[in-house]
Amino acid sequence: PAYAGGEVGSGSRLGFLGNRSVFDQPFSATSYTETLIRDQQARNVQDVVNNDPSIRTNVPAYSGILGFFIRGFPVFAQDIAFNGLYGVADAFNPAIESIERVEVLRGPATLLSGVPPFGNIGGSINLIPKRALEDPLTRATIGYASDAQIYKAVDVSRRFGDAKEWGLRFNGAFNNGATPIDNQSIHFGVAALALDYRGERLRASLDLGYQELDFTSPLRNRNVAAGVRIPRAPDLTRNQQQPWEYRDSANQQLATRVEYDLTPDLTLYGAYGVSNFRQEYFGGVLTIFNARGDYRDPVSYLPFHIVNQTAEAGLRGTVETGPIKHSFGLAAVGFWQDLAQPPAQTVGPTITSNLYDPTYVAPRSPFGLSNATPRTSSRINRSIAIADTLSILDDRVLLTIGGRWQGLDVKSYNPVTGYRTGTSDTGAFSPGVGLVVKPWERLSLYANYVEGLTSPAVPINAVNATAAFPAFVSRQTEVGAKYDFGTVGVGVAAFDIEQPSGFLDSRTLFFSVDGRQRNSGVELTVFGEPAPGMRLLGGITLLDGVQVRAQDPRNVGRTAIGVPDVQLNLSGELDLPPSLVPGLTLTGRVIYTSAQYYDLANSQKIPDWATLDVGLRYATTLQERPLTLRATVANVTGTNYWASTGRGILSQGAPRTVLLSASMDF
């Protein structure tokens, strides 16, 4: 169930160990609800996790691509799980319309969920799909987003059978029109069907989905030449990309899960998922070469195709041995990926322009270029995991011990000849241990140690981009405390994460993994309803990212790229008294991020930034049907800012954006 206030869940899934109360977990986690998604008019996963003080974006807004930093380490959209399965959701921008919960686990999830495609250690995001509700629902939504986007969505839920054992949930949405960015328009559509069955001992589900996202003149990351002072951020509504650039993508997905109770205390389960994602990008990545904001824009054509399959089988149960209660799990996971990412094909001469006064040239076209997508790499992730949570003293002490053996088999291929150019087969055992102690009923003290296995992501512009690199081990140590006030939950966590890192030599463009980064920090989180009609969500993260090993010894001890000292996110809602305006709610959110370095030498940096979102929500009835009107202005002050510098890439923020919507239940 949702916690007080309805914006977060009172628990979340801990991988193959199943659902656990947030106050019984030896980890830092938050599960954002469908209520929050609807009330904040979230358009994608990034909009949801903008409530999280541990997360920042690593791609520009209005690029059609999602990417995150969790605890200062990159987490890619391809690492987002769908109902516990990696590789099922859209590879770059999973739709949010069919999602019931967005679960965020801070820190490595290797023990609990296996190795994601990129094996990132900063954290994980799991999307829980909607299921049919007990009561029939037919909800229609129409919305508007600046500058001229019209949004339409429908959500239909029905249950059938004598015991309502069969369920059907359909979500469809369409968004079309001009965005707040000059020369940019969007065409988005999604259809998702969820079927489920719940019997006395058998439970099963099937999720089918298709989404399409076409962007005209999408934004891309910006590069900055070495030694150049980063210029001030331009007007965020100004588009430096050419009006004829585009990014078109489509994803088909299927996921199924079956659970069977062998006994009241023992459950056997299995799951399978598959996705087929295609994309065409035609445009350029800008490189700023002086402090005046002049840049070079080489235009190229990049087709992309990825096919993923994933499967999981396991056993979960409980047993008692004397005074000790055991909640155990055993799981086997497989992930198979074929990736086609051929080299970029250049179209026309490089464009030279300026951030503040962009030049638009005559349209170009990739007509005549090959859109073939020969396989460039394949990946097989396989793992077997076992874990047991031992509890004593009426669950006042919970000790989780486990480990996951995992193997990563990565092969790279020449896109022209098809010959294998590199092979890496890495295996490792990743242990994990977590402890929760409750000295008082509402206070939880916890600690964990977990390891992860990471396969480095090689930049596509590296001269050795087709090489296969062995995976490396990352480690996290964390201690924390959580307190449940009944209507408000607070948490504090102190963590230390160390991970090997790769470097792309700016002169030779040769990629190598010979660095190490350590991120230490403290997180303070709060959620709930401190007073009737008042809701609070967010927190603050203090980070210290340090390069503990680097190619250039002079960089050892310097601040890690893209790791700010302070990240603050705090949102609030206030229901006005019925005596004033019944059904009216005031909403607001502030986000602050301190300065970040762009380069290893700490000579290039961006300043701190802050944004303010404000809004209204009005719940009423029309002809006895529930009607909710919502209005939000994001970045109401119109602040122009660089959002992040992580991975050595400059990403700009989001401009002032107006969001309006009306939802009615029939």
Side-chain angles (χ1 to χ4, degrees):
Y3 192 76
E7 296 184 320
V8 302
S10 58
S12 62
R13 179 181 298 174
L14 287 186
F16 72 107
L17 292 179
N19 296 329
R20 300 284 176 89
S21 164
V22 67
F23 299 103
D24 291 339
Q25 299 179 7
F27 304 97
S28 176
T30 303
S31 177
Y32 299 99
T33 67
E34 180 196 1
T35 297
L36 177 138
I37 294 171
R38 284 189 287 112
D39 285 346
Q40 293 190 353
Q41 303 183 80
R43 294 154 292 170
N44 52 44
V45 177
Q46 183 66 61
D47 288 345
V48 179
V49 299
N50 277 344
N51 296 284
D52 200 300
S54 68
I55 299 181
R56 288 296 181 267
T57 181
N58 68 14
V59 293
Y62 296 98
S63 64
I65 299 175
L66 300 183
F68 316 93
F69 291 104
I70 304 181
R71 291 186 168 176
F73 288 103
V75 173
F76 300 94
Q78 293 182 47
D79 286 336
I80 296 177
F82 180 87
N83 205 16
L85 296 174
Y86 292 117
V88 174
D90 185 274
F92 289 133
N93 196 340
I96 200 71
E97 280 77 8
S98 64
I99 301 305
E100 168 71 24
R101 299 282 172 99
V102 176
E103 297 181 338
V104 173
L105 178 69
R106 305 172 188 95
T110 305
L111 168 64
L112 305 174
S113 306
V115 182
F118 283 102
N120 295 300
I121 193 174
S124 65
I125 298 175
N126 184 31
L127 307 180
I128 303 298
K130 293 177 180 177
R131 291 288 176 256
L133 305 171
E134 291 299 314
D135 298 321
L137 170 71
T138 301
R139 175 177 293 143
T141 301
I142 185 168
Y144 163 87
S146 50
D147 280 341
Q149 299 174 66
I150 301 300
Y151 177 84
K152 291 162 282 189
V154 62
D155 186 354
V156 178
S157 171
R158 296 289 189 275
R159 298 211 72 88
F160 307 94
D162 295 337
K164 296 185 177 182
E165 62 270 25
W166 295 96
L168 180 150
R169 189 85 179 254
F170 174 80
N171 279 268
F174 179 74
N175 187 22
N176 189 55
T179 76
I181 312 297
D182 294 343
N183 306 319
Q184 189 182 87
S185 63
I186 184 176
H187 175 98
F188 166 77
V190 61
L193 178 66
L195 306 172
D196 74 274
Y197 172 83
R198 56 186 195 193
E200 290 186 6
R201 303 176 69 176
L202 176 67
R203 295 170 298 281
S205 64
L206 174 66
D207 292 279
L208 302 170
Y210 175 80
Q211 77 172 72
E212 185 175 289
L213 178 61
D214 297 342
F215 244 111
T216 300
S217 195
L219 299 184
R220 291 292 299 270
N221 292 320
R222 280 83 170 96
N223 297 326
V224 183
V228 172
R229 179 176 60 83
I230 297 178
R232 61 177 172 81
D235 182 342
L236 295 182
T237 65
R238 188 159 294 172
N239 195 347
Q240 291 80 28
Q241 309 294 150
Q242 296 296 312
W244 35 263
E245 296 181 10
Y246 66 85
R247 175 187 174 270
D248 296 344
S249 66
N251 186 67
Q252 302 162 300
Q253 66 183 61
L254 175 151
T256 183
R257 184 174 290 272
V258 178
E259 296 183 351
Y260 184 76
D261 296 333
L262 300 172
T263 72
D265 299 318
L266 189 62
T267 299
L268 179 70
Y269 68 92
Y272 172 78
V274 61
S275 69
N276 186 351
F277 175 84
R278 289 187 179 274
Q279 173 184 281
E280 286 189 6
Y281 176 73
F282 180 53
V285 176
L286 317 182
T287 297
I288 301 168
F289 60 84
N290 62 37
R292 296 189 302 272
D294 294 328
Y295 63 83
R296 299 184 182 91
D297 179 13
V299 178
S300 57
Y301 174 65
L302 296 90
F304 180 92
H305 183 208
I306 186 170
V307 176
N308 294 322
Q309 295 187 74
T310 182
E312 179 182 8
L315 193 66
R316 184 170 57 242
T318 60
V319 66
E320 294 186 8
T321 58
I324 303 176
K325 179 182 177 181
H326 301 263
S327 298
F328 64 89
L330 175 67
V333 178
F335 173 80
W336 300 266
Q337 179 185 87
D338 281 320
L339 172 66
Q341 190 174 10
Q345 303 170 70
T346 302
V347 179
T350 297
I351 301 168
T352 301
S353 187
N354 183 271
L355 291 174
Y356 314 108
D357 187 20
T359 299
Y360 303 123
V361 303
R364 300 177 188 176
S365 169
F367 180 77
L369 297 180
S370 172
N371 62 355
T373 51
R375 182 174 59 172
T376 54
S377 70
S378 65
R379 175 189 300 268
I380 301 176
N381 296 357
R382 57 200 184 278
S383 67
I384 298 176
I386 185 170
D388 185 16
T389 298
L390 300 83
S391 60
I392 59 174
L393 303 177
D394 293 328
D395 294 339
R396 290 292 185 93
V397 179
L398 301 100
L399 175 64
T400 300
I401 302 175
R404 184 179 293 267
W405 177 89
Q406 51 207 340
L408 275 66
D409 183 3
V410 181
K411 296 181 176 65
S412 56
Y413 302 87
N414 185 300
V416 178
T417 65
Y419 293 142
R420 188 183 303 173
T421 58
T423 301
S424 172
D425 192 351
T426 306
F429 179 77
S430 298
V433 59
L435 176 66
V436 177
V437 178
K438 298 181 177 180
W440 298 286
E441 181 181 0
R442 295 184 178 273
L443 175 65
S444 301
L445 308 177
Y446 75 92
N448 68 63
Y449 171 80
V450 285
E451 293 185 0
L453 196 63
T454 303
S455 181
V458 185
I460 61 174
N461 60 330
V463 295
N464 56 337
T466 59
F469 287 83
F472 45 73
V473 176
S474 305
R475 299 174 176 85
Q476 172 184 273
T477 304
E478 179 180 357
V479 296
K482 306 171 187 177
Y483 195 88
D484 182 8
F485 287 94
T487 59
V488 175
V490 296
V492 60
F495 59 88
D496 184 273
I497 306 177
E498 190 166 310
Q499 174 175 282
S501 55
F503 295 97
L504 181 68
D505 190 284
S506 59
R507 292 176 291 107
T508 65
L509 294 182
F510 187 84
F511 180 81
S512 60
V513 182
D514 52 7
R516 183 171 289 274
Q517 179 177 330
R518 177 187 295 130
N519 289 1
S520 303
V522 176
E523 294 166 348
L524 177 64
T525 55
V526 61
F527 54 89
E529 195 170 24
M534 177 186 296
R535 290 165 291 280
L536 201 62
L537 176 64
I540 186 171
T541 297
L542 307 178
L543 278 171
D544 180 27
V546 179
Q547 303 169 54
V548 296
R549 192 169 70 204
Q551 278 183 323
D552 188 341
R554 293 175 297 181
N555 293 332
V556 174
R558 288 176 171 159
T559 302
I561 292 175
V563 180
D565 294 334
V566 180
Q567 297 179 172
L568 181 144
N569 301 59
L570 191 61
S571 68
E573 293 191 349
L574 178 63
D575 299 336
L576 293 186
S579 58
L580 294 179
V581 184
L584 185 63
T585 300
L586 310 180
T587 66
R589 180 173 63 190
V590 62
I591 302 176
Y592 171 80
T593 305
S594 62
Q596 304 165 56
Y597 286 108
Y598 176 85
D599 64 329
L600 294 169
N602 289 178
S603 62
Q604 299 166 288
K605 68 184 299 186
I606 62 172
D608 62 346
W609 57 269
T611 58
L612 174 65
D613 306 337
V614 297
L616 296 171
R617 184 171 68 251
Y618 180 57
T620 184
T621 59
L622 181 63
Q623 296 181 349
E624 300 183 351
R625 302 185 186 278
L627 171 67
T628 304
L629 306 176
R630 300 177 177 90
T632 303
V633 183
N635 189 7
V636 66
T637 60
T639 301
N640 297 319
Y641 62 102
W642 297 116
S644 66
T645 60
R647 298 189 293 132
I649 295 173
L650 190 63
S651 298
Q652 68 185 55
R656 181 190 295 115
T657 306
V658 176
L659 300 169
L660 305 173
S661 69
S663 296
M664 178 175 283
D665 295 354
F666 296 90

